[in-house]
């Protein structure tokens, strides 16, 4: 399996985060209780979801240990 490198991934953070910002803005829910970010990477998308839905519990899942360490 290919290894993901969080530092390399985040060199393009704004380009990788913009789609998450665009998609989160289109979610019609106003007050979800729980959100699961599957493939959360280093947590940049989770931060978008936490900002859009501040009262929700956001859980991030990823197969890359390096990405998860960066997300914490």
């Amino acid at each position: 399996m290919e290894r993901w490198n969080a530092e390399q991934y985040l060199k393009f953070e704004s380009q990788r985060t913009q789609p998450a910002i665009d998609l989160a803005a289109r979610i019609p829910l106003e007050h979800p209780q729980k959100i699961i970010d599957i493939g959360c990477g280093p947590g940049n998308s989770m931060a978008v979801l936490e900002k859009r839905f501040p009262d929700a519990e956001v859980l991030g899942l990823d197969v890359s240990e390096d990405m998860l360490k960066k997300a914490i």
Side-chain angles (χ1 to χ4, degrees):
M1 180 153 109
E2 185 175 331
R3 296 180 70 124
W4 285 90
N5 180 302
E7 295 300 325
Q8 181 68 25
Y9 183 94
L10 289 172
K11 286 183 180 180
F12 305 96
E13 183 175 3
S14 64
Q15 293 89 343
R16 295 189 183 272
T17 304
Q18 190 59 52
I21 293 168
D22 297 342
L23 288 171
R26 297 184 68 182
I27 297 172
L29 300 174
E30 290 301 319
H31 302 287
Q33 295 178 355
K34 295 183 181 185
I35 299 171
I36 300 175
D37 183 359
I38 300 172
C40 69
N44 52 321
S45 297
M46 287 179 56
V48 169
L49 292 167
E50 289 169 341
K51 184 176 180 180
R52 168 78 169 87
F53 303 107
D55 297 328
E57 176 185 343
V58 180
L59 173 67
L61 302 173
D62 202 287
V63 297
S64 169
E65 187 176 333
D66 190 53
M67 292 288 199
L68 289 173
K69 285 180 183 177
K70 192 69 174 178
I72 294 175

